[in-house]
C-alpha cells in the first residue's frame, strides 16, 4: 500500500478521549491535515478523503465529530441515515466541536510522523468547524468546502489570522447566495483569504457517494486546495 491507516485516540482534556482515523503518506512523514467530516460521520467517504490527502503527502487525521453523542457514527446520505445525521447535528455545538478538534490538532502536531504546519479541511458543517478552528488559532490554515452556518459566526472573523480558502456551490440549497455574499464581504479584506465559486453545482459536489457529486468541480476544488496547502504549509 502507498498509504497506511489506523485509528488513534485523541486527548480531549478532562480525562476524556475520543477516536480519529489517521492516514499516513508513503514517506511516513509530512505536514498535517485535519479532515473535518460532514454530518454523516467518519464514513467510507471521509476515510477515503483522508487517504487522498495522505497520497498527496500529508499526515491526515479525521476525528470523530459526534463522539460526545454517539461514537464512530457511519451514515449514508439518504432516508433514515440522513434523518439521524440531522438529529445528531441539532445536539452539538459548533464552538465546542471546534475546541474538540483543536485538541485533535494538538494531537496531530505531537505525532512523530507530522513535520511542519497543519491545516483543517472541512466539509458542510465541518467547513464551519474549520473556520472556527482558524479563528481559535488551533491550525495554521483552513479550507471550507460549502461551509454551512459561517454567516452566523462572522463575529469571529477578525480572529481569523491564518490563510483560508472557501469553496462555494452556486446552487446550494443549504447555503443561499446571500449568506455567501455576507461571508465574502466580511472576510474580503483579510490577507491570505481566497474564495472560489463553482457554477452549476449543488451542495456536496465533492462527495462521489452523493447525488450532487460533480467530477469536474470536485477535481478543480481538490487541485486548488492542494495548491493552497502547498503554499501555506
Amino acid at each position: 500500500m502507498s498509504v497506511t491507516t489506523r485509528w488513534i485516540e485523541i486527548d480531549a482534556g478532562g480525562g476524556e478521549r475520543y477516536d480519529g482515523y489517521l492516514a499516513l503518506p508513503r514517506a511516513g512523514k509530512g505536514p498535517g491535515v485535519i479532515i473535518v467530516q460532514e454530518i454523516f460521520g467518519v464514513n467510507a467517504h471521509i476515510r477515503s478523503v483522508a487517504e487522498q490527502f495522505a497520497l498527496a503527502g500529508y499526515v491526515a487525521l479525521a476525528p470523530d465529530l459526534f463522539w460526545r453523542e454517539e461514537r464512530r457514527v457511519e451514515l449514508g446520505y439518504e432516508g433514515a441515515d440522513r434523518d439521524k445525521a440531522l438529529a445528531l447535528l441539532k445536539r452539538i455545538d459548533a464552538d465546542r466541536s471546534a475546541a474538540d478538534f483543536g485538541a485533535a490538532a494538538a494531537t496531530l502536531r505531537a505525532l512523530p510522523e507530522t513535520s511542519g504546519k497543519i491545516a483543517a479541511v472541512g466539509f458542510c458543517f465541518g467547513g464551519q468547524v474549520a473556520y472556527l478552528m482558524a479563528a481559535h488559532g488551533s491550525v495554521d490554515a483552513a479550507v471550507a468546502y460549502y461551509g454551512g452556518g459561517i454567516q452566523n459566526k462572522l463575529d469571529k472573523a477578525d480572529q481569523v489570522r491564518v490563510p483560508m480558502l472557501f469553496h462555494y456551490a452556486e446552487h446550494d440549497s443549504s447555503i443561499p447566495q446571500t449568506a455567501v455574499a455576507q461571508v465574502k464581504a466580511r472576510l474580503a479584506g483579510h490577507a491570505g483569504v481566497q474564495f472560489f465559486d463553482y457554477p452549476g453545482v449543488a451542495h456536496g459536489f465533492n462527495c462521489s457517494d452523493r447525488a450532487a457529486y460533480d467530477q469536474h468541480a470536485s477535481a478543480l476544488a481538490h487541485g486548488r486546495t492542494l495548491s493552497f496547502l502547498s503554499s501555506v504549509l
Side-chain angles (χ1 to χ4, degrees), residues 173-185:
S173 60
S174 301
I175 309 171
Q177 287 298 307
T178 52
V180 176
Q182 285 179 286
V183 178
K184 287 181 176 179

Side-chain angles (χ1 to χ4, degrees), residues 11-12 18 68 93-105 129 132-133 136 138:
D11 185 354
Y18 70 106
R68 292 184 184 276
D93 175 76
D95 288 290
R96 189 175 194 184
S97 295
D100 283 343
F101 275 54
V129 174
L132 292 172
M133 291 175 73
H136 294 172
S138 56

